[in-house]
Each structure stands twice: as structure tokens, then as C-alpha cells.
Amino acid sequence: MWTDGIVQPAPPIKRALSEVVDKLKSTRGVQVIEWQPFKQNDALEILKRLYGPDGGKAFIENLALSGEPILPLPAWTVRDQPGIEALDIEGLWDWTRKRDQFRYSYLKEWNTAAPNMDVILCPAYPMPAPVHGTSRYWGYTSLWNLLDYPAITFPVTRVDPEKDGQDPGYIPQNDSDRWCYDKYDVRKQTGAPVSLQLVARKSKDAELLQAAEKIQREIGLPFVDCLA
């Protein structure tokens, strides 16, 4: 999955995906299938309600007891993004029902569109390791929380200033896309680890680990030393 259809991955993420896919295509026993994002907007609408069904009240009140300030990411997640609301019991039931319906429809799409696909390879985040205070979009990981699918994140490469400059042809798709694009800074993030993730269906944890080990072994991940 090259994109979730909401926020476009930054250049180093696109490069990492391309490099991994190119190697997988020439690996014996591996078939690469193009997986399209499925109802990502619906997923995000459900997530923002169920992550903070009280409108973030309990989180804010407990944080206040510590005297610590709230950081940008949790502030956005439970308080500031449009659509956050305190749900009554009927509202909670309604959004939980929508979650279960979404889980069913996503699994049905997987089983119909790509029944032989074992795992999904996709970005773990639209940017490489971000500068402090510039992390906001959670769609590439929270989707699998919503679906209750196991996922594993792994390093691939590092940001290269010669290869990973801003795309001159970039056109923002929405406010979230523009926000992430503006927060990517190839100079500040040069050398930052670039990671991807692998996802499997619910309860397929063992198969997911086997697939990750095979990919790592067959194509030699990570392509550079991401720990140095």
C-alpha cells in the first residue's frame, strides 16, 4: 500500500517502499500485489471518537494532576482535532457499532480483492523519524488498532539529502497532507531512520513474524545501518 489516500508519504518513505518492493519482486516465492486504501476517512472518523469517548476529559484532568504541560501530539489526538466530542451511552454504542461494521467490511474487502494476500506492506508514518513537536497524523498505525490487526515496524534505510528532497510536483490533498508535508525537513532529518511496517489479519501474529523474518532474510534488511 503506497499511500492511505489521506496523507502522502514523504520522499524517503516512498523511496524505502520502492526499494523494498523492487527487491521483493525478484524474490522467489513472493508475489507483490497492489493494495488500495479502503475507506480511510471512515476509519479516522471512528477512531477520533473511540480513542477519547469522553472528549479527552479524563486525560486532561489526570495530566493536570501532574502539573505537566500537554504535548502537541496528545493534545491533537484527544482535544484539538475537529470531531472530538464527549459521547453519551447511545453515542458510544453507535460508534462501537460503526467500528464493528468497519472491521467486517475491511476483512470482506481483503478476502474479496486479494484473498491470497498474506500481509500488507505500507508506511508506518508519513515521515521518517520526526522532529520533536511535529508528529500528528496517526492514520498509518491507528487503522490497525481499529481493525485489531497485528503489525510490525522495521527499519529500512536513512534519510539521504541527495535523494530525499521535497517533491517539486507535490499538490496537497487536504489540510492533514499539507501539514505533514510542511513539517518534513530533509536538512533537519538527514540521517533519520526510515521505517516501514508489515500488517496481517487478526490472530495471524505468527504468520506476520514469519513473513517479516523471510523479507528481512531474503532482501537484506535494513539496507543501511539504522542504529549507528
Side-chain angles (χ1 to χ4, degrees):
M1 187 175 77
W2 297 97
T3 173
D4 72 347
I6 306 296
V7 173
Q8 304 172 63
I13 306 298
K14 292 180 180 178
R15 177 171 63 85
L17 268 172
S18 294
E19 291 176 355
V20 170
V21 168
D22 286 346
K23 287 184 177 291
L24 288 175
K25 285 181 176 178
S26 60
T27 300
R28 174 182 289 185
V30 175
Q31 179 185 5
V32 176
I33 299 170
E34 295 281 338
W35 178 249
Q36 300 300 320
F38 180 75
K39 297 184 177 181
Q40 182 74 359
N41 269 320
D42 291 353
L44 295 176
E45 289 301 314
I46 298 167
L47 280 159
K48 72 175 66 174
R49 270 77 178 192
L50 295 185
Y51 264 30
D54 64 347
K57 180 181 177 181
F59 181 88
I60 300 299
E61 289 179 349
N62 281 281
L63 183 64
L65 296 175
S66 72
E68 298 179 16
I70 188 170
L71 296 176
L73 178 57
W76 175 258
T77 301
V78 303
R79 186 188 68 189
D80 297 339
Q81 66 174 314
I84 294 291
E85 59 180 323
L87 302 174
D88 58 19
I89 188 63
E90 288 81 7
L92 185 59
W93 288 342
D94 183 50
W95 284 104
T96 301
R97 174 182 56 80
K98 291 177 180 177
R99 179 203 65 189
D100 292 344
Q101 289 175 332
F102 183 83
R103 288 178 173 178
Y104 172 77
S105 63
Y106 200 100
L107 180 60
K108 183 179 180 181
E109 178 70 10
W110 187 326
N111 289 339
T112 302
N116 296 320
M117 183 176 68
D118 298 311
V119 292
I120 297 173
L121 173 69
C122 60
Y125 188 67
M127 291 191 287
V131 176
H132 288 302
T134 65
S135 178
R136 174 182 290 184
Y137 185 71
W138 57 349
Y140 285 97
T141 48
S142 61
L143 171 63
W144 315 122
N145 296 148
L146 178 65
L147 292 168
D148 197 19
Y149 285 4
I152 185 170
T153 301
F154 53 91
V156 174
T157 186
R158 286 181 175 273
V159 176
D160 185 333
E162 300 299 322
K163 300 177 180 178
D164 299 325
Q166 290 284 27
D167 181 1
Y170 165 81
I171 299 175
Q173 300 184 50
N174 50 65
D175 290 342
S176 294
D177 192 36
R178 181 189 294 277
W179 194 92
C180 290
Y181 178 85
D182 290 343
K183 295 299 182 289
Y184 172 62
D185 189 324
V186 68
R187 293 169 299 174
K188 292 181 179 179
Q189 291 170 272
T190 292
V194 179
S195 296
L196 301 177
Q197 67 177 334
L198 211 59
V199 183
R201 293 178 178 89
K202 184 175 181 177
S203 301
K204 297 295 184 180
D205 304 59
E207 290 86 342
L208 174 66
L209 292 174
Q210 290 171 358
E213 290 173 352
K214 177 177 177 62
I215 290 172
Q216 179 186 27
R217 181 176 63 253
E218 293 292 336
I219 69 175
L221 286 172
F223 297 145
V224 300
D225 186 355
C226 293
L227 300 177

